[in-house]
Amino acid sequence: MHFQTIFINTPATLRLSFLQGLLVAEKRAVMYVGFAGTGKTALVKDKLRSVDQEVLSVIEMDLNFATDSLMLQETMESALEQKSGRVFGPPGNKRAIYFIDNLNMPQPDAYGTQQPIALIRQHMEYGYWYDRRKLVMHEILGVQYLACMNPAAGSFTVDQRLQRHFATFCVEMPSQEMLFKIYSTMASSHFNKFDTLVHKLAAEPMVRATLNLFKSVSETFLPTNVKFYYVFNLREISAVVQGLCRSLK
């Protein structure tokens, strides 16, 4: 199993995953909001891995500063087929989920509008968009949305006319004890095949020391206008534990 696909549930992620399952089954849009490294994307992908691929297809899209509405529309259309006339939808009898990460990252134009967000809002409200070459309406059926965004990056927010269509949940940074449970579980699983002494040293003390160092560094090296790159999140801890899990007996 690839390290990036490992996901250890906590009470908070189980609650969010359960609610996501209920809402997706009812064809409702879901949005997760949280700072970098809180596990938003991992939570969504872990849940999507369990969906029936014969019923639902997942199209993942990661927006960035340069993404415009045409690029997004072409990506979304690539997963659709023409049903009849101007009606388009996923192949066969499937439904499709558009998972859009970093929803608020596209650059606002001179009027404060983010083109990709305007396109998504148009589809969610009216059920169609237009062919850019022939200028004819395409009615898009059988699709729904999941999204993640970081309120401390990009445009910080999204148009409220779009956000009102989503059930929005906050994803918070896990507590120290939850972090210890997550990463000690990973380390313990890997070091089970090692000698008992190595297992005892790596499974808990090394993880605890990593978490203490992370806490100390995060509190000491605060971001400033000059040192804006002093931003630490769970990716740093994951990199250390991933390194430990590459060790060989």
Side-chain angles (χ1 to χ4, degrees):
M1 180 182 291
H2 195 277
F3 184 84
Q4 301 300 330
T5 64
I6 300 174
F7 188 79
I8 308 297
N9 274 303
T10 67
T13 60
L14 285 172
R15 286 193 294 267
L16 292 172
S17 181
F18 175 74
L19 292 171
Q20 176 185 319
L22 292 179
L23 290 164
V24 168
E26 294 297 322
K27 304 178 179 61
R28 302 295 182 182
V30 180
M31 179 190 298
Y32 291 112
V33 180
F35 296 116
T38 52
K40 307 180 297 297
T41 303
L43 171 62
V44 173
K45 289 185 175 181
D46 180 70
K47 184 66 176 179
L48 291 179
R49 278 193 289 269
S50 65
V51 302
D52 186 352
Q53 299 296 328
E54 298 298 320
V55 178
L56 278 173
S57 59
V58 180
I59 301 91
E60 297 182 12
M61 293 167 282
D62 192 350
L63 305 190
N64 57 53
F65 186 76
T67 305
D68 60 24
S69 60
L70 178 59
M71 294 168 59
L72 178 63
Q73 183 174 333
E74 288 177 343
T75 304
M76 296 167 79
E77 287 180 338
S78 66
L80 306 176
E81 66 178 13
Q82 187 173 13
K83 298 294 186 181
S84 63
R86 66 181 188 182
V87 179
F88 291 76
N93 295 320
K94 285 186 176 183
R95 289 189 59 83
I97 295 179
Y98 290 132
F99 171 41
I100 304 176
D101 205 1
N102 296 315
L103 178 65
N104 61 327
M105 285 299 291
Q107 179 186 16
D109 61 21
Y111 306 98
T113 302
Q114 292 168 287
Q115 292 182 20
I117 287 177
L119 176 70
I120 296 169
R121 182 184 67 82
Q122 176 181 325
H123 175 240
M124 295 185 77
E125 291 184 358
Y126 301 105
Y128 63 81
W129 57 60
Y130 284 88
D131 185 292
R132 299 298 182 97
R133 292 180 296 275
K134 299 179 181 179
L135 300 181
V136 295
M137 182 189 299
H138 283 179
E139 188 176 356
I140 311 300
L141 302 178
V143 301
Q144 58 196 98
Y145 292 88
L146 287 173
C148 293
M149 60 171 277
N150 178 358
S155 62
F156 306 118
T157 60
V158 293
D159 188 347
Q160 292 185 359
R161 292 181 295 172
L162 172 72
Q163 190 169 353
R164 65 183 176 176
H165 296 296
F166 286 84
T168 305
F169 298 98
C170 175
V171 183
E172 297 182 327
M173 183 72 75
S175 66
Q176 283 290 104
E177 285 308 309
M178 282 295 103
L179 290 177
F180 177 73
K181 176 187 175 184
I182 292 169
Y183 290 108
S184 63
T185 301
M186 293 181 181
S188 180
S189 175
H190 174 74
F191 286 104
N192 263 337
K193 57 181 177 290
F194 285 68
D195 295 338
T196 303
L197 182 61
V198 175
H199 180 269
K200 287 182 178 179
L201 176 65
E204 294 191 6
M206 291 186 71
V207 171
R208 183 72 73 182
T210 301
L211 292 175
N212 290 338
L213 178 61
F214 172 79
K215 185 173 184 293
S216 177
V217 169
S218 300
E219 293 174 351
T220 303
F221 297 96
L222 301 175
T224 65
N225 291 337
V226 177
K227 299 178 180 179
F228 55 88
Y229 46 84
Y230 279 176
V231 179
F232 305 98
N233 55 54
L234 298 189
R235 295 189 182 99
E236 279 70 44
I237 305 175
S238 296
V240 174
V241 176
Q242 183 178 9
L244 289 174
C245 292
R246 288 177 174 172
S247 56
L248 302 175
K249 184 175 180 181

